[in-house]
Coordinates of all heavy atoms in Angstrom, one line a residue:
E8 N 2.0 20.4 0.2 CA 2.4 21.5 1.1 C 1.3 22.4 1.5 O 1.2 22.8 2.7 CB 3.5 22.3 0.4 CG 4.8 21.6 0.2 CD 5.4 21.0 1.5 OE1 5.5 21.7 2.5 OE2 5.8 19.8 1.4
E9 N 0.4 22.6 0.6 CA -0.8 23.5 1.0 C -1.7 22.8 2.0 O -2.2 23.4 3.0 CB -1.6 23.7 -0.3 CG -2.7 24.7 -0.2 CD -3.3 25.0 -1.6 OE1 -3.6 24.0 -2.3 OE2 -3.6 26.1 -1.9
Q10 N -1.9 21.5 1.9 CA -2.7 20.7 2.9 C -1.9 20.7 4.2 O -2.6 20.9 5.3 CB -2.9 19.3 2.4 CG -3.9 19.1 1.3 CD -3.9 17.7 0.8 OE1 -2.9 17.1 0.6 NE2 -5.1 17.2 0.6
K11 N -0.6 20.5 4.2 CA 0.1 20.5 5.5 C 0.0 21.9 6.2 O -0.2 21.9 7.4 CB 1.6 20.2 5.2 CG 1.9 18.8 4.7 CD 3.4 18.7 4.4 CE 3.7 17.3 3.8 NZ 5.1 17.2 3.4
L12 N 0.1 22.9 5.5 CA 0.0 24.3 6.0 C -1.4 24.5 6.6 O -1.6 25.1 7.7 CB 0.4 25.3 5.0 CG 0.5 26.8 5.5 CD1 1.6 26.9 6.6 CD2 0.8 27.7 4.4
A13 N -2.4 24.0 5.9 CA -3.8 24.2 6.4 C -4.0 23.4 7.7 O -4.6 24.0 8.6 CB -4.8 23.6 5.3
V14 N -3.4 22.2 7.8 CA -3.5 21.5 9.1 C -2.8 22.2 10.2 O -3.3 22.3 11.3 CB -3.0 20.0 8.9 CG1 -2.9 19.3 10.2 CG2 -4.0 19.3 7.9
L15 N -1.6 22.6 9.9 CA -0.8 23.3 11.0 C -1.5 24.6 11.4 O -1.6 24.8 12.6 CB 0.6 23.7 10.4 CG 1.6 22.6 10.2 CD1 2.7 23.0 9.3 CD2 2.1 22.1 11.5
R16 N -2.0 25.4 10.5 CA -2.7 26.6 10.9 C -4.0 26.3 11.7 O -4.3 27.0 12.6 CB -3.0 27.4 9.6 CG -1.8 28.1 9.1 CD -2.2 29.0 7.9 NE -1.1 29.8 7.4 CZ -0.9 30.3 6.2 NH1 -1.9 30.0 5.3 NH2 0.1 31.0 5.9
R17 N -4.8 25.4 11.2 CA -6.0 25.0 11.9 C -5.7 24.6 13.3 O -6.5 25.0 14.2 CB -6.7 23.9 11.1 CG -8.1 23.5 11.8 CD -8.7 22.4 11.0 NE -7.9 21.2 10.9 CZ -8.1 20.1 10.1 NH1 -9.1 20.1 9.3 NH2 -7.3 19.1 10.2
A18 N -4.6 23.9 13.6 CA -4.3 23.5 14.9 C -3.5 24.5 15.7 O -3.1 24.3 16.9 CB -3.4 22.2 14.8
N19 N -3.3 25.7 15.1 CA -2.6 26.7 15.8 C -1.2 26.2 16.2 O -0.6 26.6 17.2 CB -3.3 27.3 17.0 CG -2.8 28.6 17.4 OD1 -2.2 29.3 16.7 ND2 -3.0 28.9 18.7
Y20 N -0.6 25.3 15.3 CA 0.7 24.8 15.5 C 0.9 24.1 16.9 O 2.0 24.2 17.5 CB 1.8 25.9 15.3 CG 1.8 26.5 13.9 CD1 0.9 27.5 13.5 CD2 2.6 26.0 12.9 CE1 0.8 28.0 12.2 CE2 2.6 26.5 11.6 CZ 1.7 27.5 11.3 OH 1.7 28.0 10.0
Q21 N -0.2 23.5 17.4 CA -0.1 22.8 18.6 C -0.7 21.4 18.4 O -1.5 21.2 17.6 CB -1.0 23.5 19.7 CG -0.6 24.9 20.0 CD -1.6 25.6 20.8 OE1 -2.7 25.1 21.1 NE2 -1.3 26.8 21.2
C22 N -0.2 20.4 19.3 CA -0.9 19.1 19.3 C -2.4 19.4 19.6 O -2.7 20.1 20.6 CB -0.2 18.2 20.3 SG -1.1 16.7 20.6
E23 N -3.2 18.8 18.8 CA -4.7 19.0 19.0 C -5.2 18.3 20.2 O -6.3 18.5 20.6 CB -5.4 18.7 17.8 CG -5.1 19.6 16.6 CD -6.0 19.6 15.5 OE1 -7.2 19.9 15.6 OE2 -5.6 19.2 14.4
Y24 N -4.4 17.4 20.8 CA -4.8 16.7 22.0 C -4.2 17.3 23.3 O -4.9 17.9 24.1 CB -4.4 15.2 21.9 CG -5.1 14.5 20.8 CD1 -4.5 14.4 19.5 CD2 -6.4 14.1 20.9 CE1 -5.2 13.8 18.5 CE2 -7.1 13.5 19.8 CZ -6.5 13.4 18.6 OH -7.1 12.8 17.6
C25 N -2.9 17.2 23.4 CA -2.2 17.8 24.7 C -1.9 19.2 24.6 O -1.4 19.8 25.6 CB -1.0 16.9 25.0 SG 0.4 17.2 24.0
K26 N -2.1 19.9 23.4 CA -1.9 21.3 23.2 C -0.4 21.7 23.3 O -0.1 22.9 23.3 CB -2.7 22.1 24.2 CG -4.2 22.0 24.0 CD -4.6 22.6 22.7 CE -6.1 22.5 22.5 NZ -6.5 23.0 21.1
F27 N 0.5 20.8 23.2 CA 1.9 21.2 23.3 C 2.3 21.9 22.0 O 1.9 21.4 20.9 CB 2.9 20.0 23.5 CG 4.2 20.4 24.0 CD1 4.3 20.6 25.4 CD2 5.3 20.6 23.2 CE1 5.5 21.0 25.9 CE2 6.5 21.1 23.7 CZ 6.6 21.3 25.1
P28 N 3.0 23.0 22.0 CA 3.3 23.8 20.8 C 4.4 23.1 20.0 O 5.4 22.7 20.6 CB 3.8 25.1 21.3 CG 4.0 25.0 22.8 CD 3.3 23.7 23.3
K29 N 4.2 22.9 18.7 CA 5.1 22.3 17.8 C 6.5 22.9 17.9 O 7.5 22.2 17.9 CB 4.5 22.3 16.4 CG 5.4 21.7 15.4 CD 4.7 21.8 14.0 CE 5.5 21.2 12.9 NZ 6.8 21.9 12.7
D30 N 6.5 24.2 17.9 CA 7.8 24.9 17.9 C 8.7 24.7 19.1 O 9.9 25.1 19.1 CB 7.6 26.4 17.6 CG 7.1 26.7 16.2 OD1 7.2 25.7 15.4 OD2 6.7 27.8 15.9
F31 N 8.1 24.1 20.2 CA 8.9 23.9 21.4 C 9.1 22.4 21.6 O 9.7 22.0 22.6 CB 8.2 24.5 22.6 CG 8.3 26.0 22.7 CD1 7.5 26.8 22.0 CD2 9.3 26.5 23.5 CE1 7.6 28.2 22.1 CE2 9.4 27.9 23.6 CZ 8.6 28.7 22.9
S32 N 8.7 21.6 20.7 CA 8.9 20.1 20.8 C 10.2 19.7 20.2 O 10.6 20.2 19.2 CB 7.7 19.4 20.1 OG 7.9 18.0 20.2
H33 N 10.8 18.8 20.9 CA 12.1 18.2 20.4 C 11.8 17.1 19.3 O 12.6 16.6 18.7 CB 12.9 17.6 21.5 CG 12.3 16.3 22.0 ND1 11.2 16.3 22.9 CD2 12.6 15.0 21.8 CE1 10.9 15.1 23.1 NE2 11.7 14.3 22.5
D34 N 10.5 16.7 19.3 CA 10.1 15.6 18.4 C 9.3 16.0 17.2 O 8.7 17.1 17.2 CB 9.4 14.6 19.3 CG 9.8 13.2 18.9 OD1 10.2 12.9 17.8 OD2 9.7 12.3 19.8
H35 N 9.1 15.1 16.3 CA 8.3 15.4 15.1 C 6.8 15.4 15.5 O 6.4 14.6 16.3 CB 8.6 14.4 14.0 CG 10.0 14.5 13.5 ND1 10.4 15.5 12.7 CD2 11.0 13.7 13.6 CE1 11.7 15.4 12.4 NE2 12.1 14.2 12.9
F36 N 6.1 16.2 14.8 CA 4.6 16.1 14.9 C 4.1 15.3 13.8 O 4.7 15.3 12.7 CB 4.0 17.5 14.9 CG 3.9 18.1 16.3 CD1 4.9 18.0 17.2 CD2 2.8 18.8 16.7 CE1 4.8 18.5 18.5 CE2 2.7 19.4 18.0 CZ 3.7 19.2 18.9
H37 N 3.0 14.7 14.0 CA 2.4 13.8 13.0 C 1.0 14.3 12.6 O 0.3 15.0 13.3 CB 2.2 12.4 13.5 CG 3.5 11.7 13.8 ND1 3.6 10.4 14.0 CD2 4.8 12.2 14.0 CE1 4.9 10.1 14.2 NE2 5.6 11.2 14.3
F38 N 0.6 13.8 11.4 CA -0.8 14.0 11.0 C -1.5 12.7 11.4 O -1.4 11.7 10.8 CB -0.9 14.2 9.5 CG -0.5 15.6 9.0 CD1 0.1 16.5 9.9 CD2 -0.8 16.0 7.7 CE1 0.4 17.8 9.5 CE2 -0.5 17.3 7.3 CZ 0.1 18.2 8.2
E39 N -2.3 12.9 12.5 CA -2.9 11.7 13.1 C -4.3 11.5 12.5 O -5.0 12.5 12.3 CB -3.0 12.0 14.6 CG -3.5 10.8 15.4 CD -5.0 10.7 15.6 OE1 -5.6 11.8 15.7 OE2 -5.4 9.6 15.6
H40 N -4.6 10.3 12.1 CA -5.9 10.0 11.6 C -6.9 9.8 12.7 O -6.8 8.8 13.4 CB -5.9 8.8 10.6 CG -5.1 9.1 9.4 ND1 -3.8 8.9 9.3 CD2 -5.6 9.6 8.2 CE1 -3.4 9.3 8.1 NE2 -4.4 9.7 7.4
I41 N -7.9 10.7 12.9 CA -8.8 10.6 14.0 C -9.6 9.3 13.9 O -9.7 8.6 14.9 CB -9.8 11.8 13.9 CG1 -9.0 13.1 14.1 CG2 -10.8 11.7 15.0 CD1 -9.7 14.4 13.7
F42 N -10.1 9.0 12.8 CA -10.7 7.7 12.5 C -9.7 6.9 11.7 O -9.4 7.3 10.6 CB -12.1 7.8 11.8 CG -12.9 6.5 11.8 CD1 -13.4 6.1 13.0 CD2 -13.0 5.8 10.6 CE1 -14.2 4.9 13.0 CE2 -13.8 4.6 10.6 CZ -14.3 4.2 11.8
P43 N -9.1 5.9 12.3 CA -7.9 5.2 11.7 C -8.1 4.7 10.3 O -9.2 4.2 10.0 CB -7.6 4.1 12.7 CG -8.3 4.4 13.9 CD -9.5 5.3 13.6
L44 N -7.1 4.8 9.5 CA -7.2 4.2 8.1 C -7.5 2.7 8.2 O -8.3 2.3 7.3 CB -5.8 4.4 7.4 CG -5.4 5.9 7.1 CD1 -4.0 5.9 6.6 CD2 -6.4 6.6 6.2
V45 N -7.0 2.0 9.1 CA -7.3 0.6 9.2 C -8.7 0.3 9.5 O -9.2 -0.9 9.3 CB -6.4 -0.2 10.2 CG1 -4.9 -0.1 9.7 CG2 -6.5 0.4 11.6
K46 N -9.4 1.2 10.0 CA -10.9 1.1 10.3 C -11.7 1.8 9.2 O -12.9 2.0 9.5 CB -11.2 1.6 11.7 CG -10.6 0.8 12.8 CD -11.0 1.3 14.2 CE -10.5 0.4 15.3 NZ -10.8 0.9 16.6
G47 N -11.1 2.2 8.1 CA -11.9 2.8 7.1 C -11.8 4.3 7.0 O -12.5 4.9 6.2
G48 N -11.0 4.9 7.9 CA -10.8 6.4 7.9 C -10.1 6.8 6.6 O -9.5 6.0 5.9
T49 N -10.3 8.1 6.3 CA -9.7 8.6 5.0 C -8.6 9.6 5.3 O -8.4 10.0 6.5 CB -10.8 9.3 4.2 OG1 -11.1 10.5 4.9 CG2 -12.0 8.4 4.0
N50 N -7.9 10.0 4.3 CA -6.9 11.1 4.3 C -7.5 12.5 4.2 O -6.8 13.5 4.0 CB -5.8 10.9 3.3 CG -4.9 9.7 3.7 OD1 -4.3 9.7 4.7 ND2 -4.8 8.7 2.8
D51 N -8.9 12.5 4.2 CA -9.5 13.9 4.1 C -9.1 14.7 5.3 O -8.9 14.2 6.4 CB -11.0 13.6 4.2 CG -11.8 14.9 3.9 OD1 -11.8 15.8 4.8 OD2 -12.4 15.0 2.8
L52 N -8.8 16.0 5.1 CA -8.3 16.8 6.1 C -9.2 16.9 7.3 O -8.8 17.1 8.5 CB -8.0 18.2 5.6 CG -6.8 18.3 4.6 CD1 -6.4 19.8 4.4 CD2 -5.6 17.5 5.0
E53 N -10.5 16.6 7.1 CA -11.4 16.6 8.3 C -11.2 15.4 9.2 O -11.6 15.3 10.3 CB -12.9 16.6 7.8 CG -13.3 17.9 7.3 CD -13.3 19.0 8.3 OE1 -13.8 18.8 9.4 OE2 -12.5 20.0 8.1
N54 N -10.4 14.4 8.7 CA -10.1 13.2 9.5 C -8.6 13.3 10.0 O -8.1 12.3 10.5 CB -10.3 11.9 8.7 CG -10.2 10.7 9.5 OD1 -10.7 10.6 10.6 ND2 -9.5 9.7 9.0
V55 N -8.0 14.4 9.8 CA -6.6 14.5 10.2 C -6.5 15.6 11.3 O -7.1 16.6 11.3 CB -5.8 15.0 9.0 CG1 -4.3 15.3 9.4 CG2 -5.8 13.8 7.9
A56 N -5.7 15.2 12.3 CA -5.4 16.1 13.4 C -3.9 16.2 13.6 O -3.1 15.3 13.4 CB -6.0 15.6 14.7
L57 N -3.4 17.4 13.9 CA -2.0 17.6 14.2 C -1.8 17.1 15.6 O -2.5 17.4 16.5 CB -1.6 19.1 14.2 CG -0.1 19.4 14.4 CD1 0.7 18.9 13.2 CD2 0.1 20.9 14.5
S58 N -0.8 16.2 15.7 CA -0.6 15.5 17.0 C 0.9 15.4 17.2 O 1.7 15.1 16.3 CB -1.2 14.1 16.9 OG -0.8 13.3 18.0
C59 N 1.3 15.5 18.5 CA 2.7 15.3 18.9 C 2.9 13.8 18.8 O 2.0 13.0 18.7 CB 3.0 15.8 20.3 SG 2.2 14.8 21.6
Y60 N 4.2 13.4 18.7 CA 4.5 12.0 18.5 C 3.9 11.1 19.5 O 3.3 10.1 19.1 CB 6.1 11.9 18.6 CG 6.5 10.4 18.5 CD1 6.6 9.8 17.2 CD2 6.9 9.7 19.6 CE1 7.0 8.5 17.2 CE2 7.3 8.4 19.5 CZ 7.4 7.8 18.3 OH 7.8 6.5 18.2
T61 N 3.9 11.4 20.8 CA 3.4 10.5 21.8 C 1.9 10.4 21.8 O 1.4 9.3 21.9 CB 3.9 10.9 23.2 OG1 5.4 10.9 23.2 CG2 3.5 9.9 24.2
C62 N 1.2 11.5 21.6 CA -0.3 11.4 21.6 C -0.7 10.5 20.4 O -1.6 9.7 20.5 CB -0.9 12.8 21.5 SG -0.9 13.7 23.0
N63 N 0.0 10.7 19.3 CA -0.3 9.9 18.1 C 0.0 8.4 18.4 O -0.8 7.5 18.1 CB 0.5 10.3 16.9 CG 0.2 9.6 15.6 OD1 -1.0 9.3 15.4 ND2 1.2 9.3 14.8
L64 N 1.1 8.1 19.0 CA 1.5 6.7 19.3 C 0.5 6.1 20.2 O 0.1 5.0 20.1 CB 2.9 6.8 19.9 CG 3.6 5.4 20.2 CD1 4.1 4.8 18.9 CD2 4.7 5.6 21.2
K65 N 0.1 6.8 21.3 CA -0.8 6.3 22.3 C -2.2 6.1 21.8 O -3.0 5.3 22.2 CB -0.8 7.2 23.5 CG 0.6 7.3 24.2 CD 0.8 6.1 25.2 CE 2.1 6.3 26.0 NZ 2.2 5.2 27.0
K66 N -2.6 7.0 20.9 CA -4.0 6.9 20.3 C -4.1 5.7 19.4 O -5.1 5.0 19.4 CB -4.4 8.2 19.6 CG -5.8 8.1 19.1 CD -6.3 9.5 18.6 CE -7.7 9.3 18.0 NZ -7.7 8.5 16.8
W67 N -3.0 5.5 18.6 CA -2.9 4.4 17.7 C -4.2 4.2 16.9 O -4.5 5.1 16.1 CB -2.5 3.1 18.5 CG -2.0 2.0 17.7 CD1 -1.3 2.0 16.5 CD2 -2.3 0.6 18.0 NE1 -1.1 0.7 16.1 CE2 -1.6 -0.1 16.9 CE3 -2.9 -0.1 19.0 CZ2 -1.7 -1.5 16.9 CZ3 -3.0 -1.5 19.0 CH2 -2.3 -2.2 17.9
I68 N -4.8 3.1 17.0 CA -6.1 2.8 16.3 C -7.3 3.0 17.1 O -8.4 2.6 16.7 CB -6.1 1.4 15.6 CG1 -6.0 0.3 16.7 CG2 -5.0 1.3 14.6 CD1 -6.2 -1.1 16.1

Side-chain angles (χ1 to χ4, degrees):
E8 291 305 313
E9 193 175 40
Q10 288 174 315
K11 290 177 188 174
L12 189 58
V14 170
L15 287 164
R16 283 183 173 156
R17 181 179 62 192
N19 198 21
Y20 297 83
Q21 298 168 355
C22 172
E23 295 194 61
Y24 296 98
C25 74
K26 295 294 181 187
F27 203 83
K29 179 182 179 298
D30 290 348
F31 284 83
S32 176
H33 72 285
D34 221 333
H35 294 290
F36 271 41
H37 294 198
F38 281 14
E39 191 271 324
H40 290 88
I41 298 165
F42 193 69
L44 294 174
V45 294
K46 292 184 176 178
T49 70
N50 285 305
D51 187 288
L52 294 193
E53 284 302 303
N54 190 43
V55 172
L57 185 66
S58 173
C59 71
Y60 174 79
T61 304
C62 284
N63 184 38
L64 186 77
K65 297 275 185 175
K66 184 171 173 293
W67 193 36
I68 59 168

